[in-house]
Amino acid sequence: MPKELENFPGTEKVRESLVRDTITSLVNLQQLTPEAPDIRRELATNHRLLGGILAEAGKFQAAQEEFKASASLYSDLLRKEPKNAFWHRDLAVSFVKSGLMLEKLGDRQGACKEYGRVSSTLEQPQS
């Protein structure tokens, strides 16, 4: 979606629908090629994108669930490629965004737990 339309009234529902459709398509594609890291990465990225759209709409619980789904997918990618700096970064971003949503929901303890997961994510594995 072009940047100039992101803040146009009424586009949040269209954006949400487009990203949900993309997620559905990626899930179907992943079932055909379950080991494809590119599909898993796109799926994780789209969950994080949907989380952002939901957060903008004030749907913090649903947004937190999307950020959590994104983190889970990035964690899977890291298990297969533990030295991939991009997976570390993207996982950390998902944890931060999940923590922010928990703060919005009044769960400071849960938010602190998510923030704490960031530092362990960014530690480089020993070779």
Side-chain angles (χ1 to χ4, degrees):
M1 167 122 354
K3 285 280 187 197
E4 61 271 8
L5 294 180
E6 286 185 5
N7 296 320
F8 192 77
T11 61
E12 62 277 345
K13 288 181 184 178
V14 173
R15 291 170 54 221
E16 181 180 340
S17 178
L18 287 170
V19 176
R20 285 188 188 279
D21 289 347
T22 301
I23 289 171
T24 299
S25 296
L26 287 166
V27 167
N28 292 335
L29 190 56
Q30 185 181 15
Q31 290 173 352
L32 298 172
T33 55
E35 295 302 314
D38 290 343
I39 295 170
R40 191 173 294 284
R41 185 198 72 230
E42 286 301 318
L43 189 54
T45 300
N46 277 275
H47 276 291
R48 199 171 70 205
L49 178 59
L50 180 56
I53 292 167
L54 293 168
E56 289 172 12
K59 300 175 183 175
F60 303 126
Q61 182 63 47
Q64 196 273 335
E65 291 169 13
E66 293 300 327
F67 293 133
K68 190 174 178 179
S70 177
S72 176
L73 289 161
Y74 284 125
S75 292
D76 289 344
L77 287 165
L78 263 175
R79 278 192 276 287
K80 293 180 178 157
E81 292 183 57
K83 294 188 179 196
N84 187 312
F86 295 110
W87 302 162
H88 283 275
R89 177 205 60 203
D90 292 338
L91 179 57
V93 169
S94 294
F95 284 145
V96 167
K97 290 182 179 270
S98 176
L100 289 170
M101 293 306 99
L102 289 170
E103 276 191 63
K104 296 265 187 194
L105 292 165
D107 182 357
R108 299 198 86 212
Q109 185 176 10
C112 287
K113 182 178 176 184
E114 291 296 281
Y115 297 145
R117 295 173 79 180
V118 172
S119 63
S120 65
T121 300
L122 297 176
E123 293 173 3
Q124 291 295 324
Q126 301 296 318
S127 43

